[in-house]
Amino acid sequence: MRSEKIEDVLVVKTEGNASYDIVLRESFDNLPDYLQSVGCEGHRVCVVTDSNVAPLYLAEVQKLASACCAQIETYIFEAGEEHKTLDAIRGLYTKLIESGFDRKDFLIALGGGVVGDMTGFAAATFLRGIRFIQIPTTLLAQIDSSIGGKTGVDFDQYKNMVGAFHQPCLVYSNVSVLKSLTDEQFASGMGESLKHGLILDAGFYEWQIDHMSEIEERDSATLLELVSRNCQIKRYIVEKDPKEKGDRMLLNFGHTLGHALEKCKEFRMLHGECVAIGFVAAAYISWQRGLLDEDEFYEIRDMNVGFGLPISFDGVASQAIVDAVKKDKKMDAGKIRFVLLKKLGRACVDTTVTEQEMLEALRLLNADERE
Ligand code: GLY
């Protein structure tokens, strides 16, 4: 696929012909209009966020939403992946019951991927499903996790092990909030952004390398184009394969080893950082199998450095990561589902990657084990 011009309203078609808009703006100012357009007027809305995002944007979003909603409630999760649990969702259910929420009411997820996944899961399950709106505030959430209806929580350290597909009725992204992210948070989102280019859109992959300094400076027009092109790619995939039965699996490029590393590091490395390590390892396996050439592998690896992403890790044995892969949900009848690159911009799912190939790739990137 080829992403191109900036689209600031992207319509996503979902199963059953319903659709939702992804709206890209440089402020929250248009939020009341869009809340009205999805039918919030006269209904209860609970804005769900976390302890990091609440001091930054909750008051503004609450004020704007109260212009059109009958009753506004707020709920704040403790920030961090370690709080992405069923127990944390319990408190939100209680809040909704005590506030009298019914099937016509809405949740708003204001925050990064963890808030979006948890709020979406609560919306999918409360009263067997109520509507929800995504207002993503990290790069990763704006370009990936807020789109496509994957919701869920971690369970006993297994990432996203319990969840449901439940589509948002609106995604409203204010791209100017990306300017206040820490460098690590921004880089983590770039891990997913580079991944999108590598698996589906070689032109976008090259555009990102050509615009590295504008991206790193977080220039406004560049951010808008970066988010828009990523959303076009994500929309293309989720429209084609909403329930991950085929092409959506390609989005797991870098995730087989990335998720396992994330778990072994007890979530002390950010998701996109682990994905970046994972896709360098997958690119290495692709090179060793003759799918990529040596220069392409080294370009993929080294571009991570320019975007503030790691190309090595330490503190965990490569064998432990491979053992964790075997317990992950990316398995197909006992075989590990791995995503490889056929060439830049083209990926494929492969179930023949061996433990030995994974270990060799990981050992190349493991600072404790490299010879
Ligand atoms: N983040 C991968 C997916 O939505 O399928």
Side-chain angles (χ1 to χ4, degrees), residues 144-145 147-150 165 192 195 234 237-238 244 248-249 251-252 255 271:
D144 181 15
S145 59
I147 305 159
K150 274 191 182 175
F165 284 100
E192 296 286 4
K195 178 201 80 178
K234 183 80 196 255
I237 283 285
V238 300
E244 198 172 298
R248 190 164 179 173
M249 286 179 208
L251 296 176
N252 290 329
H255 284 61
H271 177 69

Side-chain angles (χ1 to χ4, degrees), residues 12 15 55 57 59 63 116 147 162 171 196 211 231 242 282 310 329 367:
V12 184
E15 283 174 311
Y57 309 118
K63 186 162 172 247
I147 305 159
V162 176
V171 179
H196 279 157
H211 291 78
C231 290
K329 60 180 162 29

